[in-house]
Amino acid sequence: MQPTDPVSLASPGSVPDEHAQVYGRIARRLLPLLLICYVACYLDRVNVGFAKLQMAADLGFSDSVYGLGAGMFFIGYLAFEMPSNMILYRVGARRWLARIMITWALVSAATLFVRTPTMFYGMRFLLGIAEAGFFPGVVLYLTQWFPSAQRGKVITLFMIGIPIAGVLGGPVSGWIMEHMKGTGGLASWQWLFLLESLPSIVLGFVLFFFLPNSLSDVKWMSPDEKQYVRSQLANERRGKADASFTQMLLDRRVWICVAINFCNAMGQYGIGFWLPTLVQKMGIHDNFEIGYLSAIPYAVAVVAMVLVSRSGDRLRERRWHVAGPALVGTLGFVLSTLLVNQPSLAIAALTLATAGVMTTLPLFWCLPTAFLKDASGAAGIGLINSVGGLAGFASPFLTGRLNDVTHDARYGVWMLAAWLVLSAFLILSIPAKLVNR
């Protein structure tokens, strides 16, 4: 039987012909659900960027208040990320990921009750606690099904949930903001938080009933296929040190990955939290128009992520496939500030920036998973994501402060570009033999 998966997950020569379809079948069973969940996850995390278009005026919030509130999410996220990932490792992905989704949906919906800056900060902090562990938990989960040679494409197919959330969320959020104002006595931004939280609740229950915890749970693979996947993963693990938690904390490579993830995330959340505002500053004020124009950069990013990840897996090269897009993102950010008075060209520059930033994300996760495994892998991935996730606090907060102090949005954008240059430098400092697998 020939593989039916339109995206072949086997690198040429890396898997015997008789097993080439195994990873495609696993991907078809697991990735669509996980992808849809991540779309809902990212939308609930960054829809505050669209809410700001009217929420700030209704509640009297400055850019500094908004930036601090948007970033408070990541303080809660940091505090609970590693413990959450360790719990997932012990109790299994199905129950823990479902719990995370339902909890964050309820907190996101409750944000409609915010009235003061303190309430805004508190709700964002609670949302971070609720969501902590979802992304690194899924990355850890995927390493239990796919070996390193398949992982670049697999993680990319999961992480395109970020730009897909932008493609779908932009027009939907713009429509809600434009048409729901005053309905039922609620402001449009209140409807935004309420309506966009509902899919996450439904998906949480779907995860609980349909996501398998491990190979042992599935009935759609033969014993021989299961044994083949187990042997591939076991062979790969034999090349990794079984480090203790303390050794993981003292591993210089882990902290380099923390720094790289921080730099990349500065650009990612600069796009996620400020893109609608940047479009608005080009002189576009219709919320629906802002929504669909904001979707364009994310649509291009989906294509770029898939193409670059395929190239990285085919060539077994990781460093330049992460550093290169980071430098492309830098160029896009800088050009967007030079072309701000030419909206069409400025949107093209922001598209370049978004494609570059988003493309760094999935292939980056091939770096730490190349040398971490099992319990130390769970802790290491959680540490890298949580400490790196501090950028989710720093990026919107510093951008907001720079906007208020300088009254010029260019300085915030230039700051984001500088972080991406540092990311590229750190990536290229890692020995190629360590990660090019």
Side-chain angles (χ1 to χ4, degrees), residues 127-205:
L127 184 63
I129 291 175
E131 192 186 308
F134 183 80
F135 171 76
V138 172
V139 171
L140 177 66
Y141 178 71
L142 292 175
T143 66
Q144 297 168 356
W145 295 82
F146 298 95
S148 180
Q150 319 298 325
R151 214 166 284 155
K153 287 186 286 287
V154 169
I155 295 177
T156 295
L157 290 173
F158 167 62
M159 291 191 69
I160 59 173
I162 295 176
I164 287 176
V167 172
L168 300 178
V172 171
S173 298
W175 187 90
I176 293 172
M177 293 290 290
E178 193 66 28
H179 294 283
M180 295 300 291
K181 184 176 182 179
T183 303
L186 297 178
S188 56
W189 59 268
Q190 292 175 303
W191 277 111
L192 183 72
F193 288 122
L194 177 61
L195 295 177
E196 292 189 349
S197 68
L198 298 179
S200 295
I201 295 176
V202 174
L203 288 167
F205 286 101

Side-chain angles (χ1 to χ4, degrees), residues 125-407:
F125 180 78
L126 289 176
L127 184 63
I129 291 175
E131 192 186 308
F134 183 80
F135 171 76
V138 172
V139 171
L140 177 66
Y141 178 71
L142 292 175
T143 66
Q144 297 168 356
W145 295 82
F146 298 95
S148 180
Q150 319 298 325
R151 214 166 284 155
K153 287 186 286 287
V154 169
I155 295 177
T156 295
L157 290 173
F158 167 62
M159 291 191 69
I160 59 173
I162 295 176
I164 287 176
V167 172
L168 300 178
V172 171
S173 298
W175 187 90
I176 293 172
M177 293 290 290
E178 193 66 28
H179 294 283
M180 295 300 291
K181 184 176 182 179
T183 303
L186 297 178
S188 56
W189 59 268
Q190 292 175 303
W191 277 111
L192 183 72
F193 288 122
L194 177 61
L195 295 177
E196 292 189 349
S197 68
L198 298 179
S200 295
I201 295 176
V202 174
L203 288 167
F205 286 101
V206 173
L207 271 185
F208 183 80
F209 288 108
F210 293 103
L211 187 72
N213 268 323
S214 67
L215 277 168
S216 302
D217 294 340
V218 301
K219 295 180 172 59
W220 36 265
M221 293 176 66
S222 70
D224 286 346
E225 289 172 335
K226 293 180 183 180
Q227 182 55 39
Y228 170 74
V229 173
R230 290 191 184 102
S231 67
Q232 291 282 297
L233 295 173
N235 289 338
E236 185 176 85
R237 288 191 185 98
R238 278 195 283 270
K240 302 178 184 179
D242 189 9
S244 68
F245 180 75
T246 301
Q247 289 173 318
M248 182 274 297
L249 288 177
L250 297 176
D251 191 331
R252 175 176 172 271
R253 300 169 301 178
V254 171
W255 290 101
I256 290 176
C257 287
V258 166
I260 294 169
N261 192 38
F262 181 92
C263 294
N264 290 342
M266 288 294 290
Q268 173 192 349
Y269 290 111
I271 290 289
F273 288 122
W274 290 99
L275 182 58
T277 299
L278 292 174
V279 174
Q280 187 183 55
K281 288 183 181 296
M282 295 173 191
I284 299 166
H285 299 290
D286 179 87
N287 287 321
F288 184 68
E289 188 176 1
I290 291 172
Y292 76 74
L293 286 175
S294 297
I296 294 172
Y298 288 111
V300 174
V302 171
V303 178
M305 289 171 73
V306 172
L307 293 178
V308 174
S309 68
R310 284 183 176 180
S311 174
D313 278 353
R314 184 179 68 254
L315 300 175
R316 300 293 185 89
E317 199 288 325
R318 303 301 185 193
R319 299 189 310 157
W320 279 106
H321 281 79
V322 185
L327 295 175
V328 169
T330 299
L331 177 63
F333 274 133
V334 173
L335 288 176
S336 72
T337 65
L338 302 177
L339 300 169
V340 68
N341 294 321
Q342 303 176 63
S344 296
L345 293 178
I347 290 292
L350 284 174
T351 298
L352 190 66
T354 304
V357 169
M358 295 300 166
T359 301
T360 66
L361 304 179
L363 281 181
F364 161 76
W365 286 103
C366 295
L367 308 184
T369 57
F371 59 84
L372 292 170
K373 75 168 189 176
D374 297 337
S376 66
I381 291 170
L383 175 67
I384 291 165
N385 196 60
S386 59
V387 178
L390 279 174
F393 172 79
S395 183
F397 174 67
L398 292 177
T399 303
R401 285 296 297 164
L402 282 170
N403 286 354
D404 281 343
V405 171
T406 65
H407 304 289

Side-chain angles (χ1 to χ4, degrees), residues 42-125:
Y42 200 76
L43 185 59
D44 283 344
R45 182 187 301 185
V46 302
N47 59 8
V48 68
F50 275 97
K52 174 188 178 291
L53 298 176
Q54 291 182 2
M55 180 184 188
D58 287 353
L59 302 180
F61 291 175
S62 67
D63 276 2
S64 295
V65 169
Y66 165 72
L68 178 58
M72 283 300 294
F73 169 94
F74 295 92
I75 302 300
Y77 197 86
L78 170 63
F80 286 85
E81 183 79 5
M82 193 185 303
S84 179
N85 222 34
M86 296 302 292
I87 293 172
L88 180 144
Y89 180 75
R90 288 175 169 80
V91 307
R94 180 177 61 83
R95 285 184 291 173
W96 196 245
L97 293 178
R99 191 285 303 165
I100 289 173
M101 289 202 72
I102 294 170
T103 305
W104 96 51
L106 295 175
V107 175
S108 181
T111 307
L112 68 89
F113 298 110
V114 164
R115 293 293 180 273
T116 67
T118 301
M119 293 176 68
F120 183 45
Y121 302 152
M123 293 307 299
R124 294 293 296 177
F125 180 78

